[in-house]
Amino acid sequence: MYNSLFEVNSDVEKCTRCQLCETRRNTVFGEGNSHAKIMLVGEGPGRDEDEMGRPFVGKAGKLLDKMLTSIRFNRDDVYIANILKCRPPGNRDPQPQEVEACIGYLRAQTALIRPHIIVCLGRIASQHILKQDIRITKERGIWREVKGFFIMPTYHPAALLRNQGWKRESYADLLSIRKKYDEFAGTSANSEE
Ligand code: URA
């Protein structure tokens, strides 16, 4: 049981629970508002993130920033983390034993931040958070309520960079996230109708 994100990060920084500790340059714990109502979860650090020790700072991160801006959020409004805290070499998919070794840190982060909304960026994050196989093209945009969290899978920004055709659906998901957030905050435009 952890009492603070600081404590969790201290363990992450010295973690040797899987082989990724041998090849990482830096751990990437996560960052943002520790009281955020929205948590965004990606897959794991890429090269830029491994170098900087911060999540989503490369090309996909720049797009993520734009996505957030499009629904009037910035990084200080949300918390951003990953399933894995260390980079898989060559950006390969995480292996099951790596996820098993690491996911407790994400659970601890979630328990401390207690967001209302969890947005799973891409198939890997969705599959491990929802504990089921997900076809992102079919299941994106669908909310599930699990243990008091509202969880939505959506496209990973790196996938959007490869497939421009998904942008419209991604924007629909973003609007849905904003709407859900506003419902919690009681400031939805609808609430004034
Ligand atoms: N992709 C991810 O899934 N996470 C990052 O932090 C960066 C790229």
Side-chain angles (χ1 to χ4, degrees), residues 10-158:
S10 304
D11 276 0
V12 167
E13 280 175 345
K14 46 182 190 279
C15 184
T16 55
R17 291 173 58 92
C18 82
Q19 60 196 352
L20 297 181
C21 67
E22 290 162 20
T23 47
R24 74 178 175 224
R25 292 178 70 168
N26 288 293
T27 55
V28 177
F29 180 62
E31 65 182 27
N33 186 332
S34 56
H35 301 290
K37 298 294 169 229
I38 302 188
M39 187 162 171
L40 305 170
V41 182
E43 181 174 326
R47 194 187 49 206
D48 296 318
E49 290 75 22
D50 179 52
E51 234 162 66
M52 308 272 287
R54 297 181 53 213
F56 283 99
V57 289
K59 267 193 192 162
K62 302 266 175 307
L63 178 56
L64 184 60
D65 287 341
K66 284 191 191 157
M67 290 161 70
L68 289 172
T69 306
S70 77
I71 49 166
R72 293 174 287 120
F73 287 125
N74 59 50
R75 284 199 177 213
D76 297 333
D77 298 314
V78 302
Y79 193 89
I80 304 180
N82 282 305
I83 298 285
L84 291 188
K85 308 305 189 216
C86 298
R87 181 191 184 206
N91 296 349
R92 62 159 170 72
D93 281 358
Q95 293 175 357
Q97 70 274 19
E98 293 162 355
V99 174
E100 201 183 313
C102 205
I103 199 140
Y105 297 129
L106 181 67
R107 289 208 189 98
Q109 287 171 296
T110 310
L112 288 161
I113 295 164
R114 297 197 295 126
H116 291 314
I117 295 170
I118 299 177
V119 179
C120 310
L121 299 170
R123 179 181 60 87
I124 301 274
S126 305
Q127 156 187 333
H128 292 296
I129 288 172
L130 292 169
K131 297 185 189 141
Q132 63 187 84
D133 253 341
I134 292 285
R135 290 211 28 215
I136 202 83
T137 48
K138 288 227 155 36
E139 299 185 57
R140 52 141 281 275
I142 299 174
W143 289 100
R144 291 172 176 76
E145 193 180 350
V146 184
K147 294 184 185 162
F149 300 110
F150 284 86
I151 305 180
M152 184 215 269
T154 190
Y155 292 119
H156 192 291

